[in-house]
Amino acid sequence: DSGVTQTPKHLITATGQRVTLRCSPRSGDLSVYWYQQSLDQGLQFLIQYYNGEERAKGNILERFSAQQFPDLHSELNLSSLELGDSALYFCASSVDGGTALAKNIQYFGAGTRLSVL
Amino acid sequence: DAKTTQPPSMDCAEGRAANLPCNHSTISGNEYVYWYRQIHSQGPQYIIHGLKNNETNEMASLIITEDRKSSTLILPHATLRDTAVYYCIVRVARTYKYIFGTGTRLKVLA
């Protein structure tokens, strides 16, 4: 158990809908990362938050948004869903992440499997 | 952008050492190399990281070349439970972005 909690584990929805994925980081971790993994693909970095502020953005679509709350949990919002958004979405957390040169071990949650029908 | 290159797949006999290479020729001087593995569709699991020196922990050893352009993850006595996709990742210089490549699918054979 990594200590990172993601809910829900599975989500089935229809095209055009909006969903929210939730992530609770490990106790004490200030950084949260979101990744997308499509079928048989590697992990694509979406976005990072550090202590409530956006720190880095990857290949995140404009239909997707995220935030990190004062209690450090994070939510990833996916809207106007398309079939191609079906994927595993992972959240990771780390203690560091506030300094670009610091070592930064990320601990991953079990993921949310999103199916868009 | 920082990029890692790994062979797409490897086989290893159970009980033998598995050596997984990674090329990260664009790594900048102060960035760490991290190794993770993903078993089936579970969340990636941290294995080891290194900067310049070779590293060893209870899971694996990491050998980094002197020029830091490549590294090798060594699982000294592979077991069937080590069958997974192994990723080496680096951070894009001067950013907070991490790049996961497509990884190496290691199959440990009985």
Side-chain angles (χ1 to χ4, degrees):
Chain A
D1 183 5
S2 67
V4 177
T5 303
Q6 289 188 249
T7 57
K9 285 187 169 46
H10 302 277
L11 200 49
I12 301 173
T13 188
T15 55
Q17 295 298 304
R18 171 189 171 95
V19 297
T20 298
L21 312 183
R22 182 187 170 100
C23 171
S24 294
R26 295 187 321 155
S27 177
D29 284 1
L30 297 178
S31 275
V32 169
Y33 309 77
W34 286 97
Y35 293 86
Q36 180 192 55
Q37 186 174 39
S38 301
L39 188 63
D40 291 333
Q41 299 292 313
L43 285 93
Q44 298 294 319
F45 169 72
L46 294 178
I47 198 163
Q48 179 207 357
Y49 279 83
Y50 175 75
N51 203 21
E53 294 192 2
E54 182 183 303
R55 183 54 60 96
K57 219 172 209 184
N59 300 323
I60 187 167
L61 300 172
E62 286 192 11
R63 300 183 286 108
F64 296 180
S65 65
Q67 55 184 325
Q68 186 179 28
F69 294 87
D71 67 353
L72 301 177
H73 90 272
S74 178
E75 292 181 356
L76 179 67
N77 299 296
L78 314 177
S79 61
S80 302
L81 284 168
E82 302 175 359
L83 296 178
D85 298 327
S86 296
L88 275 166
Y89 291 85
F90 289 105
C91 166
S93 74
S94 69
V95 172
D96 299 312
T99 304
L101 296 182
K103 70 171 186 250
N104 197 26
I105 299 169
Q106 297 177 48
Y107 294 90
F108 284 77
T112 293
R113 183 179 293 278
L114 174 66
S115 298
V116 182
L117 305 178
Chain B
D1 274 4
K3 181 182 172 183
T4 62
T5 304
Q6 299 176 253
S9 64
M10 293 181 66
D11 290 343
C12 177
E14 188 178 19
R16 304 296 294 267
N19 298 294
L20 297 110
C22 178
N23 181 292
H24 36 77
S25 58
T26 59
I27 191 172
S28 63
N30 295 318
E31 294 292 349
Y32 288 83
V33 178
Y34 303 84
W35 283 81
Y36 289 78
R37 72 181 182 185
Q38 186 177 25
I39 298 173
H40 296 301
S41 297
Q42 298 175 20
Q45 176 191 22
Y46 164 77
I47 301 172
I48 198 167
H49 71 280
L51 185 61
K52 295 179 183 177
N53 300 318
N54 298 338
E55 302 288 345
T56 296
N57 63 19
E58 64 279 4
M59 290 184 70
S61 294
L62 177 60
I63 308 296
I64 303 174
T65 58
E66 194 169 337
D67 63 7
R68 298 200 348 107
K69 292 185 177 181
S70 66
S71 60
T72 300
L73 179 75
I74 301 172
L75 307 178
H77 306 287
T79 71
L80 298 178
R81 286 181 295 182
D82 292 323
T83 292
V85 178
Y86 288 77
Y87 297 97
C88 81
I89 70 167
V90 296
R91 180 158 43 190
V92 178
R94 296 177 299 280
T95 77
Y96 296 92
K97 300 180 190 179
Y98 289 83
I99 304 295
F100 277 74
T102 50
T104 296
R105 188 174 296 275
L106 174 69
K107 190 172 181 180
V108 180
L109 305 172

